[in-house]
Amino acid sequence: MELPGQLEIYELVIFIALGLAVLLFGYRIKKVAFFIVWFLIGFNLMRMFMPTLNQWVPQIAGNEFWQNLMPIAVGLLLALLGFSIEKLCVAGICFALVMIIVSRYFGTEIQVLAVGAIIGVVAAGFAVTLMKPTIIIATSLVGGYVLTLVIFSIFSQMDFTTLYWPILIGITAIGAIFQFATTSRLE
């Protein structure tokens, strides 16, 4: 698994704010949380795709405006889609989370991605049947994931391979416990 790249200051501030909002208040603000989650997924997917895009379109590679705009634009496009369709959004979040974790931690070989996709589809189907707990756990996991990446971006000397899972699980657990405790009377 590779260490996440250093984030710019504005990205750190945005990721911290959005990560905390989704981590702690994902169910209460589920429409906004879906928007934020899908924005973060689109933003990160486009950042991972930018080197390939830069090879295909060299004009983008040399232009800082496009380098910054493309991830934001793709993030907003996915955010608008995620905002509008709740069940598809929850299923998609679960599938995307599984695939992001699988590709980051286990690699991008076709066999690994195929197993990840099967697990992602099962998780997505299960998620739709239990909406409230799934929304709480998924938003806690997304918030925990974002904050974990921010922590490793700020403290780059930390041992990523040893501390990644304990930090991610710990932050996710804190967010899920907080959300379950504060939304017990909400449907």
Side-chain angles (χ1 to χ4, degrees):
M1 181 173 178
E2 65 186 50
L3 183 67
Q6 289 296 94
L7 297 173
E8 298 292 328
I9 296 296
Y10 77 92
E11 291 173 324
L12 285 173
V13 171
I14 291 170
F15 277 28
I16 289 170
L18 296 179
L20 283 172
V22 172
L23 175 74
L24 299 174
F25 307 106
Y27 188 76
R28 286 188 179 276
I29 59 169
K30 67 179 155 182
K31 289 288 189 183
V32 174
F34 291 160
F35 187 88
I36 293 169
V37 167
W38 281 103
F39 173 80
L40 293 172
I41 289 171
F43 185 88
N44 282 312
L45 287 176
M46 192 62 200
R47 280 186 53 131
M48 288 193 287
F49 183 67
M50 283 305 287
T52 305
L53 183 64
N54 289 339
Q55 290 175 350
W56 292 345
V57 186
Q59 296 84 356
I60 291 176
N63 190 327
E64 187 176 336
F65 173 75
W66 287 108
Q67 291 290 315
N68 292 327
L69 180 67
M70 293 299 290
I72 293 170
V74 171
L76 287 174
L77 181 63
L78 282 180
L80 290 172
L81 289 172
F83 183 75
S84 60
I85 309 167
E86 186 171 304
K87 286 188 178 187
L88 181 63
C89 183
V90 170
I93 289 170
C94 290
F95 181 81
L97 281 172
V98 169
M99 293 306 292
I100 288 170
I101 290 171
V102 164
S103 66
R104 275 213 176 256
Y105 199 72
F106 299 107
T108 56
E109 294 80 28
I110 194 72
Q111 298 89 349
V112 172
L113 292 177
V115 170
I118 292 168
I119 294 169
V121 167
V122 170
F126 186 69
V128 172
T129 61
L130 299 168
M131 287 296 281
K132 182 179 178 180
T134 300
I135 291 170
I136 289 174
I137 292 169
T139 56
S140 296
L141 184 57
V142 169
Y145 178 76
V146 169
L147 293 174
T148 300
L149 293 182
V150 167
I151 288 169
F152 282 107
S153 183
I154 293 171
F155 303 105
S156 56
Q157 71 280 7
M158 290 174 62
D159 184 14
F160 186 73
T161 55
T162 305
L163 297 174
Y164 174 77
W165 286 108
I167 291 173
L168 176 64
I169 292 168
I171 292 173
T172 301
I174 290 168
I177 291 167
F178 181 84
Q179 285 193 60
F180 277 117
T182 60
T183 62
S184 61
R185 294 190 179 122
L186 296 178
E187 274 308 308

